[in-house]
Every structure is written in C-alpha cells, then in structure tokens.
Amino acid sequence: MRKFFLKLLLFIAPFVLMYVALEVFYRNVPNNYSLKNQEINKNSQKIEVLLFGDSHCLYGLNPSCFSKNTFNLSNVSQTIYFDKLLFEKYVDKLPKLKQVVFCIEYTNLSQIDNSGDDGWRKFYYQRFMHLEVPSISAFDLRNYCLAFTQSFYKSRDLVKRYVKKKTILDCDSLGWGTNYKKADRIPPAQVAQSRAIIQEDGLMDFEVNKSRINDIIQKCKQRNIQVLIVSMPQTKIYESYLNQNKLSKIKSTCSEFQTKNPNDVFYLNLFDDARFTEEDFYDADHLNNEGALKCSKIVNDYLTSIEK
C-alpha cells in the first residue's frame, strides 16, 4: 500500500507543480484587466470621458484621438452586466467625468448572464479589477485558482506567447486594443458568415439588459453626466448574414433610450455608415488600427457637438 501511494504521489506531483507554476503566472503577469484597473485608478482625477463595451469598442475607439481625457474601459466579450458593475464602481471616483459612451452591438442586448466567455472572464474581473461579482459562487474552485479558468492548452499557448513577446497585454495605458493592425487584416468575406453564426444566440428578449442601461442612465442624469450610445461600424457582408428583425429591434431600442431621455442620452448609429470601407476593418466586424482612428474622430466630434 505504501508503494502504491508513493507511486501515486510521484505521478501526481508533476501536475501539481505545473498548476502551481501556472497559478503564479496568472497572478503575477500583467494582463488587460490588471492594467486597466491600475491606469484608471492612477488617472481618476482627470478622466472626463469613459468608454464601455466589448471588443468592438476595445479595438475601435482610441482615447488618444479624443479632445478630452478619455479612458477605454471595454474588454473582449464584455457584457452589459459587467459594464454596469464597472460603471457603478468608478462613477463616483471620477470627479471630472462628464460623458460616458456605451457601445451597443448585435450580441450584447440579448446576452444571458453567466453565459459564453462570462464563464471564465468573471474571475478576472473579480481578481484584477476588484469587482464584486454576484454570479461567482464561493464553492467554485476557479474563485481561488485562476489556473483552472482556462484549458491546459490555452494556458500553454499564453505562456508561450509571454516567453516570445515578454507580454500578454493587448492594450495601451489608455485601454485601447493595439493588436488589430491593418497589416494583419483578414478579408471580411472569409469570416463574415462564420462570425455571424457564432454570434447568433437566437434571442430577442432585451428586457434585462435594457433595465441595466436605464439604471445607468438615471444615475448619470443625477450626476449631470451625458450618455452616448454608439453602434459601432460593421462590414456590409457581415451585416447581410445577421437576423434583420433583431438588428432592427436593436436600433429601435437604442433610439428609444434617446427619445425617452432627451438632452441626456444620445444615439450614434454607425452600423452601416458609408464613411467606412472594408479597408477600415481587421475582420468582418472589428475595425483595424486605422479604422479606429477614423471612428474615434467621428465619435469625438459627436461628443463635442452635444457637450453642455
């Protein structure tokens, strides 16, 4: 029996050591979440415009192109659930905040809580951005061990990337995503249909996320903060594969926020804006770095035009 346990220990030990090493890696190597948390706190006394959203905002709106001190608090697959948690955490810590931008895309109004990438990203928001995330169970092992949030193969690839590039950061100190470069663009026709299929959840019920946005709007009105809702540009071929009824409902819902809150909420619809061509996109639905400059200037000009 003693020999059996000794052999078992020798068999298990390498796996334990591997996951201990991964845990040290995840906790200590700077990532987008930890960097954003660090920078927004460091610059809290001067931020005037705050940007929220998912990857379309992360890669599409560059704060350096804005007239006012702007910070991009978006992230890949960030849902309205986390937009609201982040807003509530920071709104009273930014004394100069005058305008907030929320990017509403095809996927996020119908997003169900604790689904998709939320399953593992929620632990990053908690650990690195110090959010209290109600959907996290105290009995979930990932609550204590980040190494278990990803598969071994994804962790391996992340470590390899760090060894090669000495960083796993995808954003700059203002929160803008920097790795969707025009030189690396993927022709939209190659990926438009597959991306549309992956992103389609088949849901048309927006009520939960509408309520969250309305809560944010009311808190902004109380603090004299203007709200701009933006639908970011998409390629025409990508849009052609989307559910047109759902797309129409998204646009009408965003317009409704403005109609019900005149002079406090504004809607800028860039979904199919003719100023953007396929050369502005990294893939079928994300802007590349040059397209982001164009979009950022458009959004900045709009913010300037509505400023009180």
Side-chain angles (χ1 to χ4, degrees), residues 3-113:
K3 288 184 178 180
F4 170 77
F5 281 114
L6 181 59
K7 289 181 179 179
L8 182 62
L9 181 62
L10 290 173
F11 176 77
I12 294 174
F15 296 97
V16 173
L17 290 173
M18 177 186 69
Y19 275 97
V20 168
L22 283 176
E23 188 67 19
V24 171
F25 171 82
Y26 276 113
R27 287 175 180 259
N28 290 281
V29 174
N31 56 52
N32 287 4
Y33 299 87
S34 61
L35 179 66
K36 288 184 186 240
N37 183 67
Q38 171 188 300
E39 293 300 320
I40 193 172
N41 284 300
K42 185 168 73 176
N43 296 288
S44 62
Q45 299 305 301
K46 61 182 183 181
I47 293 174
E48 299 170 278
V49 179
L50 203 53
L51 312 175
F52 294 87
D54 58 14
S55 55
H56 297 98
C57 180
L58 173 67
Y59 296 111
L61 294 180
N62 184 346
S64 67
C65 299
F66 286 69
S67 304
K68 293 182 172 60
N69 285 307
T70 301
F71 190 80
N72 191 324
L73 200 53
S74 63
N75 224 315
V76 173
S77 297
Q78 185 163 293
T79 61
I80 294 171
Y81 177 86
F82 284 104
D83 282 342
K84 186 171 186 283
L85 289 179
L86 289 166
F87 170 81
E88 291 174 340
K89 175 179 179 179
Y90 289 113
V91 65
D92 291 324
K93 297 179 180 179
L94 309 175
K96 291 188 177 181
L97 186 64
K98 294 299 179 185
Q99 295 174 314
V100 292
V101 176
F102 288 91
C103 293
I104 303 298
E105 313 303 339
Y106 184 75
T107 56
N108 52 7
L109 277 174
S110 59
Q111 176 77 53
I112 296 175
D113 294 349

Side-chain angles (χ1 to χ4, degrees), residues 26 30 42 92 101 122-123 157 217 245 303:
Y26 276 113
K42 185 168 73 176
D92 291 324
V101 176
K122 61 186 178 183
F123 299 101
D157 291 343
I217 289 170
N245 290 330
L303 286 173

Side-chain angles (χ1 to χ4, degrees), residues 223-239:
R223 294 163 175 79
N224 200 32
I225 297 171
Q226 289 181 307
V227 178
L228 174 60
I229 293 173
V230 178
S231 293
M232 295 291 283
Q234 319 287 318
T235 60
K236 287 181 173 57
I237 188 170
Y238 168 78
E239 187 173 339

